[in-house]
């Protein structure tokens, strides 16, 4: 996904959850099934962007990602939430709702 496409997406009415991860990261692997459940739960009411920090260094730098997994919730161009570390489905749902 290009930077322009990301910018267009985060400006929209549908919230966007960024999931910054790396394939080699154990905690990231633990977070993945939770993100998959979030995706199923919200369907088209939430966009989820999975960002591999090793492949998308510029995007990771843009959002100041220093540890992974990291989650960022954007809505209408504004950052609503940012957290590092594994989070439960319940924690993520509280923020998205």
């Amino acid at each position: 996904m290009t930077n322009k496409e990301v910018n267009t997406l985060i400006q929209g009415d549908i919230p966007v959850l960024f999931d910054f991860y790396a394939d080699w990261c154990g905690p990231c692997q633990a977070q993945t099934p939770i993100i998959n459940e979030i995706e199923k739960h919200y369907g088209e009411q939430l966009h989820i962007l999975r960002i591999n920090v090793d492949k998308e260094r510029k995007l990771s730098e843009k959002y100041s990602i220093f540890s992974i997994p990291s989650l960022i919730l954007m809505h209408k161009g504004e950052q609503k939430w940012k957290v590092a570390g594994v989070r439960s489905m319940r924690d993520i749902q509280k923020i998205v709702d």
Side-chain angles (χ1 to χ4, degrees), residues 3 20 51-68 72 79 82:
N3 198 25
F20 289 89
I51 309 295
N52 185 321
V53 297
D54 292 328
K55 295 178 181 176
E56 299 289 342
R57 291 185 190 274
K58 286 186 181 183
L59 197 57
S60 300
E61 288 173 10
K62 177 180 178 178
Y63 290 101
S64 301
I65 301 303
F66 299 111
S67 86
I68 51 175
I72 297 176
Q79 182 176 307
K82 181 178 178 180

Side-chain angles (χ1 to χ4, degrees), residues 39-52:
E39 189 169 39
K40 287 179 195 173
H41 178 78
Y42 287 99
E44 294 182 14
Q45 297 173 341
L46 177 69
H47 292 295
I48 295 180
L49 294 181
R50 292 181 171 101
I51 309 295
N52 185 321

